[in-house]
Amino acid sequence: MNRLKFSSINISLGLLIIVSFFIGFYFQENSSGGAIDFSHYYNNFKLFYGKNLLKINWYDYESSSLPLYYFVTYFFYNPENLILIKIFNLFLSLFCLFLFYKILNIHLKLNNSLSFLLSSTILLSPYFRTSTFWMMEENFPILMTFITIYFYVSLKKKFSYFFLIAAIFFSVCAFFSRQNYIIISFGLFLLIFDWNNFFSKKNFLIVFLFFIFFSPSLYFFNTWGGLLTPVVVGEKRALILNIYNIPYILNIILVYIFPFVFLEKKKFIIFFNKNKKLILFSFIFYLLIFFNFIPTTIGGGALSKLFMIITDGFVLKYLILICSFFSLLFLILLFNDNKIIIFYFLLNLILFSTITPIWQEYFDPLSLVFIILFGNKINLPQYSNKFVYFLIAYLSLFLSTSILDQNYISTMLIN
């Protein structure tokens, strides 16, 4: 009876989230604020429409991403009538939901109703929603990542050369949709490469496939002089090491690990009581590293934006640093024995320390997806249906706050 009760609640909540997604689609919700950039995407649609793809004037290309999204949508939309591209993005996002559901079933072996509810969490992401509703680029590499993960977990369950080739191919497609998704290809390579049998035929095939699938990048090296779009090169926004991005990145990560920290709060309280001196010494050392950190008003993620609303100056600086320090501490304590999660976030720290400014959308919703799938937490006894309900409530609050911010707080501050 208990199981039936939870199943009914799970399905009802999942359907409610999906309904909210369709309502957002109908009203063209802008919960992340990203709609302000729609004119750039629209100009790109017009740039590609009816053109020879090899003769695009890349200096008119208004994006920081590699253009696979536009190559794919090139064949079926008309920029004078955007209904097809709207429907394409809607189905693309719903397919992400379906794939997440299938991966949860295969990889974590959750029951159907809990998998359905957990998969719906991506529809509570303000960034995922806005990208869908405003025909933005972000959800396409997310779809490529979900397809990659699907074939990877299928490969782990039963080896197949088809799964192997498909996983590699779609991981590279994610990269050709947005450069920072090189993390997915690199991580996949480390996971599928047989390190115990270095010169095996399988390893040669893996290296060969990555080489072949990445070979189109030679076109961009030849045309752009690298893998950064002309607009990014002109604005000098990337590939400049800036360690002061790290506090922002850690604060963004804190948004996604907080529900797991809250659930294991007793564990953290015990650790803090036993290691006060170590924590204090580490905190002082952390502050010394970032002593010259100066908060910026552009980017920085949701937490930093919240802090900027309530304070500024000295207090703002140390609020950001304190939260980022505890984010790092929580991350290590939660996942110190989890190579996939630590490696994933470490790669993100390294990569996004070279990109300015830092936006929350770079991490949302994939950070939460990776924690759910590979964090080894959801299947633990204490991470029951009730925890998933807490997670849904937390993400719903985050979404509601984002909508409130875009429709009231930001407007009030501007005026």
Side-chain angles (χ1 to χ4, degrees), residues 40-51:
H40 300 297
Y41 303 113
Y42 183 61
N43 286 336
N44 289 337
F45 293 149
K46 292 192 293 184
L47 175 67
F48 281 78
Y49 181 65
K51 302 282 180 60

Side-chain angles (χ1 to χ4, degrees), residues 133-301:
F133 307 151
W134 288 89
M135 297 156 282
M136 298 161 72
E137 303 164 347
E138 283 79 0
N139 286 10
F140 190 78
I142 291 174
L143 173 62
M144 296 299 103
T145 301
F146 272 118
I147 298 175
T148 301
I149 296 172
Y150 172 79
F151 283 116
Y152 167 70
V153 297
S154 299
L155 183 68
K156 293 293 289 182
K157 187 176 181 181
K158 181 181 179 181
F159 181 81
S160 160
Y161 280 106
F162 172 75
F163 292 155
L164 178 68
I165 295 168
I168 295 172
F169 174 76
F170 285 104
S171 75
V172 176
C173 285
F175 164 75
F176 279 114
S177 308
R178 177 160 280 191
Q179 292 90 320
N180 61 282
Y181 281 73
I182 188 66
I183 291 173
I184 304 301
S185 292
F186 187 53
L188 178 68
F189 176 81
L190 294 178
L191 289 170
I192 63 177
F193 194 84
D194 187 353
W195 299 97
N196 296 320
N197 192 7
F198 202 85
F199 295 104
S200 67
K201 291 181 180 179
K202 175 188 167 186
N203 283 352
F204 279 115
L205 176 63
I206 290 170
V207 172
F208 175 74
L209 288 172
F210 271 112
F211 176 78
I212 291 297
F213 292 148
F214 271 115
S215 61
S217 61
L218 295 174
Y219 166 80
F220 297 103
F221 273 103
N222 180 59
T223 306
W224 297 350
L227 290 173
L228 300 180
T229 62
V231 67
V232 171
V233 173
E235 295 174 2
K236 298 179 180 179
R237 287 166 45 199
L239 299 186
I240 300 172
L241 182 63
N242 181 7
I243 66 165
Y244 299 114
N245 283 352
I246 292 176
Y248 289 125
I249 297 169
L250 289 171
N251 277 346
I252 291 171
I253 292 172
L254 181 59
V255 172
Y256 306 106
I257 63 174
F258 176 77
F260 302 90
V261 172
F262 181 80
L263 192 69
E264 297 192 14
K265 55 185 179 295
K266 291 182 180 178
K267 170 184 173 181
F268 288 104
I269 291 171
I270 293 171
F271 177 83
F272 291 150
N273 286 333
K274 289 184 176 179
N275 298 277
K276 293 176 183 176
K277 291 182 179 179
L278 175 62
I279 294 170
L280 180 60
F281 174 80
S282 301
F283 179 58
I284 292 171
F285 182 68
Y286 183 83
L287 291 181
L288 288 174
I289 292 174
F290 296 104
F291 180 77
N292 292 321
F293 170 78
I294 300 174
T296 177
T297 57
I298 302 175

Side-chain angles (χ1 to χ4, degrees), residues 3 49 213 243 340 367 388:
R3 181 176 295 179
Y49 181 65
F213 292 148
I243 66 165
I340 292 180
S367 292
V388 178

